[in-house]
PDB file of all heavy atoms in Angstrom:
ATOM      1  N   TYR A  17      33.773  29.397  -0.237  1.00  0.00           N
ATOM      2  CA  TYR A  17      33.018  28.634   0.750  1.00  0.00           C
ATOM      3  C   TYR A  17      33.930  28.218   1.902  1.00  0.00           C
ATOM      4  O   TYR A  17      33.565  28.317   3.075  1.00  0.00           O
ATOM      5  CB  TYR A  17      32.404  27.403   0.100  1.00  0.00           C
ATOM      6  CG  TYR A  17      31.481  26.625   1.009  1.00  0.00           C
ATOM      7  CD1 TYR A  17      30.148  26.977   1.143  1.00  0.00           C
ATOM      8  CD2 TYR A  17      31.946  25.531   1.736  1.00  0.00           C
ATOM      9  CE1 TYR A  17      29.306  26.278   1.976  1.00  0.00           C
ATOM     10  CE2 TYR A  17      31.108  24.826   2.578  1.00  0.00           C
ATOM     11  CZ  TYR A  17      29.792  25.194   2.691  1.00  0.00           C
ATOM     12  OH  TYR A  17      28.965  24.498   3.523  1.00  0.00           O
ATOM     13  N   ARG A  21      34.380  29.019   6.297  1.00  0.00           N
ATOM     14  CA  ARG A  21      34.313  27.938   7.286  1.00  0.00           C
ATOM     15  C   ARG A  21      35.478  28.101   8.250  1.00  0.00           C
ATOM     16  O   ARG A  21      36.616  27.835   7.911  1.00  0.00           O
ATOM     17  CB  ARG A  21      34.365  26.558   6.610  1.00  0.00           C
ATOM     18  CG  ARG A  21      33.318  26.384   5.525  1.00  0.00           C
ATOM     19  CD  ARG A  21      31.916  26.555   6.050  1.00  0.00           C
ATOM     20  NE  ARG A  21      31.560  25.511   6.990  1.00  0.00           N
ATOM     21  CZ  ARG A  21      30.339  25.272   7.399  1.00  0.00           C
ATOM     22  NH1 ARG A  21      29.342  26.020   6.958  1.00  0.00           N
ATOM     23  NH2 ARG A  21      30.094  24.322   8.261  1.00  0.00           N
ATOM     24  N   SER A  66      34.835  16.643   5.389  1.00  0.00           N
ATOM     25  CA  SER A  66      33.420  16.885   5.681  1.00  0.00           C
ATOM     26  C   SER A  66      32.946  18.226   5.139  1.00  0.00           C
ATOM     27  O   SER A  66      31.803  18.358   4.714  1.00  0.00           O
ATOM     28  CB  SER A  66      33.194  16.826   7.192  1.00  0.00           C
ATOM     29  OG  SER A  66      33.970  17.813   7.848  1.00  0.00           O
ATOM     30  N   ARG A  69      32.101  18.012   1.610  1.00  0.00           N
ATOM     31  CA  ARG A  69      30.810  17.351   1.461  1.00  0.00           C
ATOM     32  C   ARG A  69      29.672  18.350   1.693  1.00  0.00           C
ATOM     33  O   ARG A  69      28.655  18.317   0.992  1.00  0.00           O
ATOM     34  CB  ARG A  69      30.716  16.187   2.443  1.00  0.00           C
ATOM     35  CG  ARG A  69      29.492  15.317   2.257  1.00  0.00           C
ATOM     36  CD  ARG A  69      29.675  13.948   2.892  1.00  0.00           C
ATOM     37  NE  ARG A  69      30.053  14.024   4.285  1.00  0.00           N
ATOM     38  CZ  ARG A  69      31.258  13.706   4.764  1.00  0.00           C
ATOM     39  NH1 ARG A  69      32.210  13.285   3.941  1.00  0.00           N
ATOM     40  NH2 ARG A  69      31.531  13.790   6.049  1.00  0.00           N
ATOM     41  N   GLU A  70      29.845  19.263   2.657  1.00  0.00           N
ATOM     42  CA  GLU A  70      28.836  20.295   2.868  1.00  0.00           C
ATOM     43  C   GLU A  70      28.736  21.214   1.655  1.00  0.00           C
ATOM     44  O   GLU A  70      27.636  21.617   1.267  1.00  0.00           O
ATOM     45  CB  GLU A  70      29.206  21.112   4.115  1.00  0.00           C
ATOM     46  CG  GLU A  70      29.099  20.329   5.407  1.00  0.00           C
ATOM     47  CD  GLU A  70      29.568  21.150   6.593  1.00  0.00           C
ATOM     48  OE1 GLU A  70      29.750  22.366   6.428  1.00  0.00           O
ATOM     49  OE2 GLU A  70      29.763  20.576   7.676  1.00  0.00           O
ATOM     50  N   PHE A  71      29.877  21.559   1.088  1.00  0.00           N
ATOM     51  CA  PHE A  71      29.866  22.390  -0.123  1.00  0.00           C
ATOM     52  C   PHE A  71      29.109  21.682  -1.241  1.00  0.00           C
ATOM     53  O   PHE A  71      28.294  22.277  -1.945  1.00  0.00           O
ATOM     54  CB  PHE A  71      31.307  22.664  -0.561  1.00  0.00           C
ATOM     55  CG  PHE A  71      31.419  23.310  -1.919  1.00  0.00           C
ATOM     56  CD1 PHE A  71      31.311  24.674  -2.070  1.00  0.00           C
ATOM     57  CD2 PHE A  71      31.639  22.537  -3.048  1.00  0.00           C
ATOM     58  CE1 PHE A  71      31.416  25.272  -3.311  1.00  0.00           C
ATOM     59  CE2 PHE A  71      31.747  23.110  -4.298  1.00  0.00           C
ATOM     60  CZ  PHE A  71      31.631  24.495  -4.422  1.00  0.00           C
ATOM     61  N   ALA A  72      29.379  20.393  -1.408  1.00  0.00           N
ATOM     62  CA  ALA A  72      28.709  19.632  -2.452  1.00  0.00           C
ATOM     63  C   ALA A  72      27.206  19.625  -2.249  1.00  0.00           C
ATOM     64  O   ALA A  72      26.430  19.776  -3.193  1.00  0.00           O
ATOM     65  CB  ALA A  72      29.242  18.194  -2.461  1.00  0.00           C
ATOM     66  N   HIS A  73      26.782  19.479  -0.996  1.00  0.00           N
ATOM     67  CA  HIS A  73      25.344  19.467  -0.726  1.00  0.00           C
ATOM     68  C   HIS A  73      24.706  20.826  -0.992  1.00  0.00           C
ATOM     69  O   HIS A  73      23.643  20.916  -1.594  1.00  0.00           O
ATOM     70  CB  HIS A  73      25.105  19.058   0.725  1.00  0.00           C
ATOM     71  CG  HIS A  73      23.644  19.063   1.090  1.00  0.00           C
ATOM     72  ND1 HIS A  73      22.801  18.056   0.706  1.00  0.00           N
ATOM     73  CD2 HIS A  73      22.895  19.966   1.760  1.00  0.00           C
ATOM     74  CE1 HIS A  73      21.578  18.338   1.137  1.00  0.00           C
ATOM     75  NE2 HIS A  73      21.614  19.489   1.781  1.00  0.00           N
ATOM     76  N   GLU A  74      25.399  21.904  -0.551  1.00  0.00           N
ATOM     77  CA  GLU A  74      24.820  23.244  -0.710  1.00  0.00           C
ATOM     78  C   GLU A  74      24.643  23.611  -2.178  1.00  0.00           C
ATOM     79  O   GLU A  74      23.683  24.264  -2.559  1.00  0.00           O
ATOM     80  CB  GLU A  74      25.708  24.276  -0.011  1.00  0.00           C
ATOM     81  CG  GLU A  74      25.189  25.688  -0.155  1.00  0.00           C
ATOM     82  CD  GLU A  74      25.980  26.681   0.667  1.00  0.00           C
ATOM     83  OE1 GLU A  74      26.444  26.290   1.753  1.00  0.00           O
ATOM     84  OE2 GLU A  74      26.129  27.825   0.227  1.00  0.00           O
ATOM     85  N   TYR A  75      25.582  23.206  -3.019  1.00  0.00           N
ATOM     86  CA  TYR A  75      25.545  23.572  -4.432  1.00  0.00           C
ATOM     87  C   TYR A  75      24.936  22.472  -5.308  1.00  0.00           C
ATOM     88  O   TYR A  75      25.049  22.519  -6.520  1.00  0.00           O
ATOM     89  CB  TYR A  75      26.958  23.889  -4.922  1.00  0.00           C
ATOM     90  CG  TYR A  75      27.438  25.235  -4.468  1.00  0.00           C
ATOM     91  CD1 TYR A  75      27.930  25.413  -3.182  1.00  0.00           C
ATOM     92  CD2 TYR A  75      27.385  26.338  -5.302  1.00  0.00           C
ATOM     93  CE1 TYR A  75      28.362  26.649  -2.743  1.00  0.00           C
ATOM     94  CE2 TYR A  75      27.818  27.583  -4.873  1.00  0.00           C
ATOM     95  CZ  TYR A  75      28.308  27.738  -3.598  1.00  0.00           C
ATOM     96  OH  TYR A  75      28.729  28.958  -3.167  1.00  0.00           O
ATOM     97  N   SER A  76      24.286  21.519  -4.645  1.00  0.00           N
ATOM     98  CA  SER A  76      23.843  20.341  -5.384  1.00  0.00           C
ATOM     99  C   SER A  76      22.803  20.663  -6.445  1.00  0.00           C
ATOM    100  O   SER A  76      22.872  20.162  -7.566  1.00  0.00           O
ATOM    101  CB  SER A  76      23.291  19.292  -4.407  1.00  0.00           C
ATOM    102  OG  SER A  76      22.206  19.834  -3.681  1.00  0.00           O
ATOM    103  N   LYS A  81      22.925  17.391  -9.079  1.00  0.00           N
ATOM    104  CA  LYS A  81      22.744  16.704  -7.812  1.00  0.00           C
ATOM    105  C   LYS A  81      23.157  15.234  -7.875  1.00  0.00           C
ATOM    106  O   LYS A  81      23.711  14.681  -6.930  1.00  0.00           O
ATOM    107  CB  LYS A  81      21.278  16.824  -7.384  1.00  0.00           C
ATOM    108  CG  LYS A  81      20.978  16.252  -6.019  1.00  0.00           C
ATOM    109  CD  LYS A  81      19.556  16.599  -5.618  1.00  0.00           C
ATOM    110  CE  LYS A  81      19.262  16.088  -4.234  1.00  0.00           C
ATOM    111  NZ  LYS A  81      17.907  16.457  -3.788  1.00  0.00           N
ATOM    112  N   VAL A  85      25.773  14.754  -4.393  1.00  0.00           N
ATOM    113  CA  VAL A  85      25.264  14.494  -3.057  1.00  0.00           C
ATOM    114  C   VAL A  85      25.265  13.012  -2.753  1.00  0.00           C
ATOM    115  O   VAL A  85      24.759  12.207  -3.529  1.00  0.00           O
ATOM    116  CB  VAL A  85      23.839  15.065  -2.909  1.00  0.00           C
ATOM    117  CG1 VAL A  85      23.308  14.778  -1.522  1.00  0.00           C
ATOM    118  CG2 VAL A  85      23.848  16.551  -3.175  1.00  0.00           C
ATOM    119  N   SER A  86      25.838  12.672  -1.616  1.00  0.00           N
ATOM    120  CA  SER A  86      25.826  11.286  -1.182  1.00  0.00           C
ATOM    121  C   SER A  86      24.466  10.944  -0.617  1.00  0.00           C
ATOM    122  O   SER A  86      23.774  11.799  -0.088  1.00  0.00           O
ATOM    123  CB  SER A  86      26.868  11.064  -0.075  1.00  0.00           C
ATOM    124  OG  SER A  86      28.074  11.682  -0.383  1.00  0.00           O
ATOM    125  N   PRO A  87      24.056   9.687  -0.688  1.00  0.00           N
ATOM    126  CA  PRO A  87      22.801   9.297  -0.088  1.00  0.00           C
ATOM    127  C   PRO A  87      22.822   9.571   1.410  1.00  0.00           C
ATOM    128  O   PRO A  87      23.768   9.249   2.102  1.00  0.00           O
ATOM    129  CB  PRO A  87      22.722   7.784  -0.377  1.00  0.00           C
ATOM    130  CG  PRO A  87      23.626   7.576  -1.550  1.00  0.00           C
ATOM    131  CD  PRO A  87      24.700   8.580  -1.422  1.00  0.00           C
ATOM    132  N   GLY A  88      21.762  10.208   1.848  1.00  0.00           N
ATOM    133  CA  GLY A  88      21.640  10.470   3.283  1.00  0.00           C
ATOM    134  C   GLY A  88      22.312  11.727   3.756  1.00  0.00           C
ATOM    135  O   GLY A  88      22.206  12.081   4.918  1.00  0.00           O
ATOM    136  N   ALA A  89      23.056  12.401   2.883  1.00  0.00           N
ATOM    137  CA  ALA A  89      23.705  13.637   3.312  1.00  0.00           C
ATOM    138  C   ALA A  89      22.667  14.718   3.439  1.00  0.00           C
ATOM    139  O   ALA A  89      21.783  14.848   2.641  1.00  0.00           O
ATOM    140  CB  ALA A  89      24.778  14.049   2.310  1.00  0.00           C
ATOM    141  N   GLY A  90      22.782  15.534   4.414  1.00  0.00           N
ATOM    142  CA  GLY A  90      21.813  16.603   4.602  1.00  0.00           C
ATOM    143  C   GLY A  90      22.211  17.509   5.722  1.00  0.00           C
ATOM    144  O   GLY A  90      23.205  17.329   6.394  1.00  0.00           O
ATOM    145  N   ALA A  91      21.355  18.520   5.930  1.00  0.00           N
ATOM    146  CA  ALA A  91      21.674  19.512   6.939  1.00  0.00           C
ATOM    147  C   ALA A  91      21.407  19.002   8.344  1.00  0.00           C
ATOM    148  O   ALA A  91      21.947  19.508   9.310  1.00  0.00           O
ATOM    149  CB  ALA A  91      20.873  20.784   6.681  1.00  0.00           C
ATOM    150  N   SER A  92      20.522  17.981   8.467  1.00  0.00           N
ATOM    151  CA  SER A  92      20.155  17.505   9.789  1.00  0.00           C
ATOM    152  C   SER A  92      21.148  16.466  10.282  1.00  0.00           C
ATOM    153  O   SER A  92      20.796  15.339  10.602  1.00  0.00           O
ATOM    154  CB  SER A  92      18.740  16.914   9.757  1.00  0.00           C
ATOM    155  OG  SER A  92      18.665  15.877   8.799  1.00  0.00           O
ATOM    156  N   SER A  93      22.424  16.817  10.345  1.00  0.00           N
ATOM    157  CA  SER A  93      23.469  15.923  10.809  1.00  0.00           C
ATOM    158  C   SER A  93      23.556  16.011  12.333  1.00  0.00           C
ATOM    159  O   SER A  93      23.064  16.957  12.949  1.00  0.00           O
ATOM    160  CB  SER A  93      24.802  16.318  10.186  1.00  0.00           C
ATOM    161  OG  SER A  93      25.159  17.612  10.588  1.00  0.00           O
ATOM    162  N   PRO A  94      24.222  15.021  12.968  1.00  0.00           N
ATOM    163  CA  PRO A  94      24.388  15.094  14.423  1.00  0.00           C
ATOM    164  C   PRO A  94      25.121  16.363  14.862  1.00  0.00           C
ATOM    165  O   PRO A  94      24.796  16.944  15.894  1.00  0.00           O
ATOM    166  CB  PRO A  94      25.211  13.840  14.731  1.00  0.00           C
ATOM    167  CG  PRO A  94      24.883  12.896  13.618  1.00  0.00           C
ATOM    168  CD  PRO A  94      24.697  13.749  12.413  1.00  0.00           C
ATOM    169  N   ALA A  95      26.101  16.804  14.071  1.00  0.00           N
ATOM    170  CA  ALA A  95      26.832  18.028  14.422  1.00  0.00           C
ATOM    171  C   ALA A  95      25.918  19.236  14.390  1.00  0.00           C
ATOM    172  O   ALA A  95      25.977  20.102  15.273  1.00  0.00           O
ATOM    173  CB  ALA A  95      28.008  18.225  13.468  1.00  0.00           C
ATOM    174  N   ALA A  96      25.052  19.312  13.360  1.00  0.00           N
ATOM    175  CA  ALA A  96      24.120  20.435  13.271  1.00  0.00           C
ATOM    176  C   ALA A  96      23.135  20.413  14.439  1.00  0.00           C
ATOM    177  O   ALA A  96      22.810  21.462  15.010  1.00  0.00           O
ATOM    178  CB  ALA A  96      23.375  20.398  11.945  1.00  0.00           C
ATOM    179  N   HIS A  97      22.667  19.217  14.804  1.00  0.00           N
ATOM    180  CA  HIS A  97      21.750  19.098  15.946  1.00  0.00           C
ATOM    181  C   HIS A  97      22.446  19.513  17.241  1.00  0.00           C
ATOM    182  O   HIS A  97      21.855  20.216  18.080  1.00  0.00           O
ATOM    183  CB  HIS A  97      21.252  17.656  16.063  1.00  0.00           C
ATOM    184  CG  HIS A  97      20.350  17.419  17.238  1.00  0.00           C
ATOM    185  ND1 HIS A  97      19.069  17.905  17.301  1.00  0.00           N
ATOM    186  CD2 HIS A  97      20.574  16.759  18.411  1.00  0.00           C
ATOM    187  CE1 HIS A  97      18.519  17.544  18.450  1.00  0.00           C
ATOM    188  NE2 HIS A  97      19.417  16.856  19.143  1.00  0.00           N
ATOM    189  N   ARG A  98      23.707  19.116  17.386  1.00  0.00           N
ATOM    190  CA  ARG A  98      24.462  19.484  18.590  1.00  0.00           C
ATOM    191  C   ARG A  98      24.633  21.001  18.671  1.00  0.00           C
ATOM    192  O   ARG A  98      24.493  21.593  19.745  1.00  0.00           O
ATOM    193  CB  ARG A  98      25.830  18.805  18.572  1.00  0.00           C
ATOM    194  CG  ARG A  98      26.694  19.129  19.783  1.00  0.00           C
ATOM    195  CD  ARG A  98      28.049  18.445  19.670  1.00  0.00           C
ATOM    196  NE  ARG A  98      28.795  18.967  18.536  1.00  0.00           N
ATOM    197  CZ  ARG A  98      29.554  20.070  18.596  1.00  0.00           C
ATOM    198  NH1 ARG A  98      29.636  20.751  19.725  1.00  0.00           N
ATOM    199  NH2 ARG A  98      30.221  20.479  17.543  1.00  0.00           N
ATOM    200  N   ASP A  99      24.929  21.644  17.542  1.00  0.00           N
ATOM    201  CA  ASP A  99      25.087  23.101  17.530  1.00  0.00           C
ATOM    202  C   ASP A  99      23.789  23.804  17.902  1.00  0.00           C
ATOM    203  O   ASP A  99      23.801  24.822  18.607  1.00  0.00           O
ATOM    204  CB  ASP A  99      25.554  23.572  16.146  1.00  0.00           C
ATOM    205  CG  ASP A  99      26.983  23.174  15.850  1.00  0.00           C
ATOM    206  OD1 ASP A  99      27.696  22.785  16.800  1.00  0.00           O
ATOM    207  OD2 ASP A  99      27.391  23.234  14.676  1.00  0.00           O
ATOM    208  N   THR A 100      22.674  23.252  17.425  1.00  0.00           N
ATOM    209  CA  THR A 100      21.376  23.843  17.750  1.00  0.00           C
ATOM    210  C   THR A 100      21.106  23.779  19.245  1.00  0.00           C
ATOM    211  O   THR A 100      20.708  24.770  19.873  1.00  0.00           O
ATOM    212  CB  THR A 100      20.256  23.123  16.983  1.00  0.00           C
ATOM    213  OG1 THR A 100      20.517  23.205  15.573  1.00  0.00           O
ATOM    214  CG2 THR A 100      18.907  23.745  17.283  1.00  0.00           C
ATOM    215  N   VAL A 101      21.319  22.592  19.826  1.00  0.00           N
ATOM    216  CA  VAL A 101      21.106  22.429  21.267  1.00  0.00           C
ATOM    217  C   VAL A 101      22.049  23.332  22.049  1.00  0.00           C
ATOM    218  O   VAL A 101      21.661  23.973  23.036  1.00  0.00           O
ATOM    219  CB  VAL A 101      21.314  20.953  21.661  1.00  0.00           C
ATOM    220  CG1 VAL A 101      21.277  20.789  23.180  1.00  0.00           C
ATOM    221  CG2 VAL A 101      20.256  20.069  21.003  1.00  0.00           C
ATOM    222  N   LYS A 153      32.341  24.919  20.222  1.00  0.00           N
ATOM    223  CA  LYS A 153      32.146  24.556  18.818  1.00  0.00           C
ATOM    224  C   LYS A 153      33.476  24.390  18.085  1.00  0.00           C
ATOM    225  O   LYS A 153      33.627  23.506  17.253  1.00  0.00           O
ATOM    226  CB  LYS A 153      31.296  25.630  18.133  1.00  0.00           C
ATOM    227  CG  LYS A 153      30.945  25.327  16.679  1.00  0.00           C
ATOM    228  CD  LYS A 153      29.989  26.368  16.139  1.00  0.00           C
ATOM    229  CE  LYS A 153      29.782  26.189  14.630  1.00  0.00           C
ATOM    230  NZ  LYS A 153      29.186  24.879  14.315  1.00  0.00           N
ATOM    231  N   TRP A 278      24.055  31.569  16.089  1.00  0.00           N
ATOM    232  CA  TRP A 278      23.755  30.221  15.577  1.00  0.00           C
ATOM    233  C   TRP A 278      23.202  30.283  14.155  1.00  0.00           C
ATOM    234  O   TRP A 278      23.555  29.457  13.306  1.00  0.00           O
ATOM    235  CB  TRP A 278      22.758  29.536  16.509  1.00  0.00           C
ATOM    236  CG  TRP A 278      22.151  28.302  15.935  1.00  0.00           C
ATOM    237  CD1 TRP A 278      22.767  27.100  15.720  1.00  0.00           C
ATOM    238  CD2 TRP A 278      20.806  28.153  15.464  1.00  0.00           C
ATOM    239  NE1 TRP A 278      21.881  26.208  15.154  1.00  0.00           N
ATOM    240  CE2 TRP A 278      20.677  26.825  14.987  1.00  0.00           C
ATOM    241  CE3 TRP A 278      19.708  28.996  15.411  1.00  0.00           C
ATOM    242  CZ2 TRP A 278      19.479  26.342  14.461  1.00  0.00           C
ATOM    243  CZ3 TRP A 278      18.527  28.509  14.904  1.00  0.00           C
ATOM    244  CH2 TRP A 278      18.425  27.209  14.429  1.00  0.00           C
ATOM    245  N   GLU A 281      25.935  30.712  11.685  1.00  0.00           N
ATOM    246  CA  GLU A 281      26.700  29.486  11.504  1.00  0.00           C
ATOM    247  C   GLU A 281      25.947  28.438  10.685  1.00  0.00           C
ATOM    248  O   GLU A 281      26.537  27.749   9.854  1.00  0.00           O
ATOM    249  CB  GLU A 281      27.037  28.893  12.878  1.00  0.00           C
ATOM    250  CG  GLU A 281      28.042  29.685  13.659  1.00  0.00           C
ATOM    251  CD  GLU A 281      29.447  29.512  13.125  1.00  0.00           C
ATOM    252  OE1 GLU A 281      30.046  28.459  13.332  1.00  0.00           O
ATOM    253  OE2 GLU A 281      29.933  30.454  12.474  1.00  0.00           O
ATOM    254  N   SER A 282      24.645  28.320  10.919  1.00  0.00           N
ATOM    255  CA  SER A 282      23.899  27.219  10.310  1.00  0.00           C
ATOM    256  C   SER A 282      23.177  27.592   9.030  1.00  0.00           C
ATOM    257  O   SER A 282      22.807  26.715   8.249  1.00  0.00           O
ATOM    258  CB  SER A 282      22.868  26.669  11.307  1.00  0.00           C
ATOM    259  OG  SER A 282      21.933  27.671  11.652  1.00  0.00           O
ATOM    260  N   LYS A 283      22.977  28.886   8.789  1.00  0.00           N
ATOM    261  CA  LYS A 283      22.226  29.330   7.611  1.00  0.00           C
ATOM    262  C   LYS A 283      23.073  30.230   6.727  1.00  0.00           C
ATOM    263  O   LYS A 283      22.611  31.238   6.208  1.00  0.00           O
ATOM    264  CB  LYS A 283      20.953  30.083   8.040  1.00  0.00           C
ATOM    265  CG  LYS A 283      20.065  29.311   8.994  1.00  0.00           C
ATOM    266  CD  LYS A 283      19.463  28.091   8.340  1.00  0.00           C
ATOM    267  CE  LYS A 283      18.516  27.370   9.295  1.00  0.00           C
ATOM    268  NZ  LYS A 283      17.977  26.114   8.711  1.00  0.00           N
ATOM    269  N   GLN A 284      24.323  29.865   6.540  1.00  0.00           N
ATOM    270  CA  GLN A 284      25.237  30.747   5.825  1.00  0.00           C
ATOM    271  C   GLN A 284      24.810  31.004   4.388  1.00  0.00           C
ATOM    272  O   GLN A 284      24.997  32.082   3.856  1.00  0.00           O
ATOM    273  CB  GLN A 284      26.646  30.168   5.836  1.00  0.00           C
ATOM    274  CG  GLN A 284      27.319  30.291   7.193  1.00  0.00           C
ATOM    275  CD  GLN A 284      28.759  29.837   7.151  1.00  0.00           C
ATOM    276  OE1 GLN A 284      29.163  29.144   6.242  1.00  0.00           O
ATOM    277  NE2 GLN A 284      29.527  30.226   8.141  1.00  0.00           N
ATOM    278  N   SER A 285      24.244  30.014   3.733  1.00  0.00           N
ATOM    279  CA  SER A 285      23.888  30.194   2.326  1.00  0.00           C
ATOM    280  C   SER A 285      22.821  31.270   2.157  1.00  0.00           C
ATOM    281  O   SER A 285      22.756  31.925   1.128  1.00  0.00           O
ATOM    282  CB  SER A 285      23.370  28.873   1.743  1.00  0.00           C
ATOM    283  OG  SER A 285      22.225  28.433   2.449  1.00  0.00           O
ATOM    284  N   VAL A 286      21.984  31.469   3.196  1.00  0.00           N
ATOM    285  CA  VAL A 286      20.942  32.497   3.120  1.00  0.00           C
ATOM    286  C   VAL A 286      21.550  33.877   3.287  1.00  0.00           C
ATOM    287  O   VAL A 286      21.359  34.779   2.483  1.00  0.00           O
ATOM    288  CB  VAL A 286      19.859  32.242   4.198  1.00  0.00           C
ATOM    289  CG1 VAL A 286      18.829  33.354   4.175  1.00  0.00           C
ATOM    290  CG2 VAL A 286      19.202  30.890   3.972  1.00  0.00           C
TER     291      VAL A 286
END
Side-chain angles (χ1 to χ4, degrees):
Y17 186 85
R21 306 301 294 193
S66 60
R69 187 160 54 250
E70 292 176 12
F71 170 85
H73 178 77
E74 179 173 326
Y75 284 80
S76 59
K81 185 172 183 178
V85 179
S86 316
S92 57
S93 62
H97 178 71
R98 180 182 65 85
D99 290 346
T100 302
V101 173
K153 184 174 172 62
W278 167 71
E281 290 285 286
S282 62
K283 306 294 183 184
Q284 286 186 342
S285 60
V286 176

